């Protein structure tokens, strides 16, 4: 109370503790996120593009163009889905952090139109966006052995 008026002598402001709590996810749940994306491949390019976060980056297997918007991501899958692909994880390595998780490894696609199989290396980095796990970064590349021949196995 100062000069006949109530005054604020101390003010503290902070976010609610709940806002900073990480969104929990298990290793099995991280691995299941691939199946959500894989299932979307059977639906539409729109369904696949909606698996990506607002600021996602897709570095696709068969395009030199980084895809950084919903429209560019959808455009890539408009073409890719014509092959009727289905994917399978062959090797997976999961990391989990504060409101992010990642799955790195090797996957294989079978093209429904031809039966051809293509193996690739992948990276899926996920973020929790509005309570939903979305792909923030997806990098996919053909296995180098496809062009270079078998690599020697490490001695370690």
């Amino acid at each position: 109370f100062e000069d006949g008026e109530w005054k604020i002598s101390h003010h503290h402001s902070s976010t609610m503790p709940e806002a900073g709590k990480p969104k929990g996810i298990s290793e099995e749940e991280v691995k299941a996120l691939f199946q959500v994306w894989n299932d979307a491949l059977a639906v539409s390019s729109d369904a696949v593009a909606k698996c990506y976060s607002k600021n996602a980056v897709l570095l696709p297997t068969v395009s030199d163009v980084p895809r950084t918007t919903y429209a560019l991501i959808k455009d890539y899958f408009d073409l890719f889905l014509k092959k009727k692909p289905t994917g399978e994880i062959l090797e997976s390595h999961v990391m989990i952090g504060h409101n992010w998780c990642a799955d790195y490894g090797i996957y294989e696609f079978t093209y429904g139109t031809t039966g051809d199989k293509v193996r690739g290396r992948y990276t899926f980095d996920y973020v929790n966006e509005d309570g939903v796990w979305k792909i923030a970064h997806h990098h996919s590349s053909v296995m180098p052995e496809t062009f270079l021949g078998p690599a020697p196995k490490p001695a370690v």
Side-chain angles (χ1 to χ4, degrees):
F1 194 77
E2 186 177 299
D3 297 327
E5 294 182 11
W6 286 103
K7 304 276 181 165
I8 298 172
S9 63
H10 176 78
H11 176 251
H12 172 78
S13 179
S14 64
T15 61
M16 295 297 290
E18 298 81 21
K21 285 186 179 178
K23 303 297 181 200
I25 191 165
S26 68
E27 183 173 337
E28 294 75 29
E29 289 170 321
V30 174
K31 290 180 178 186
L33 293 172
F34 171 79
Q35 198 55 51
V36 171
W37 178 84
N38 195 44
D39 289 347
L41 295 176
V43 177
S44 69
S45 58
D46 177 65
V48 178
K50 286 180 178 173
C51 293
Y52 291 80
S53 70
K54 296 172 195 152
N55 298 312
V57 175
L58 166 63
L59 301 173
T61 311
V62 292
S63 173
D64 293 338
V65 179
R67 308 303 175 121
T68 57
T69 66
Y70 167 85
L72 287 171
I73 292 168
K74 183 181 177 301
D75 175 73
Y76 175 76
F77 287 106
D78 284 341
L79 296 174
F80 185 63
L81 294 187
K82 289 181 180 181
K83 298 177 182 184
K84 303 204 179 299
T86 56
E88 176 186 3
I89 299 286
L90 303 178
E91 182 177 327
S92 171
H93 304 276
V94 170
M95 295 177 66
I96 299 172
H98 184 85
N99 290 335
W100 68 269
C101 57
D103 188 356
Y104 313 111
I106 297 170
Y107 52 18
E108 182 175 75
F109 286 94
T110 302
Y111 296 134
T113 54
T114 63
D116 291 345
K117 293 182 180 285
V118 177
R119 283 189 182 189
R121 299 180 290 187
Y122 71 86
T123 299
F124 285 102
D125 291 329
Y126 300 95
V127 293
N128 193 282
E129 188 173 272
D130 301 324
V132 179
W133 289 99
K134 300 275 189 163
I135 301 165
H137 171 81
H138 177 193
H139 178 237
S140 180
S141 60
V142 176
M143 299 294 284
E145 291 84 357
T146 304
F147 304 103
L148 303 174
K153 299 291 181 203
V156 187

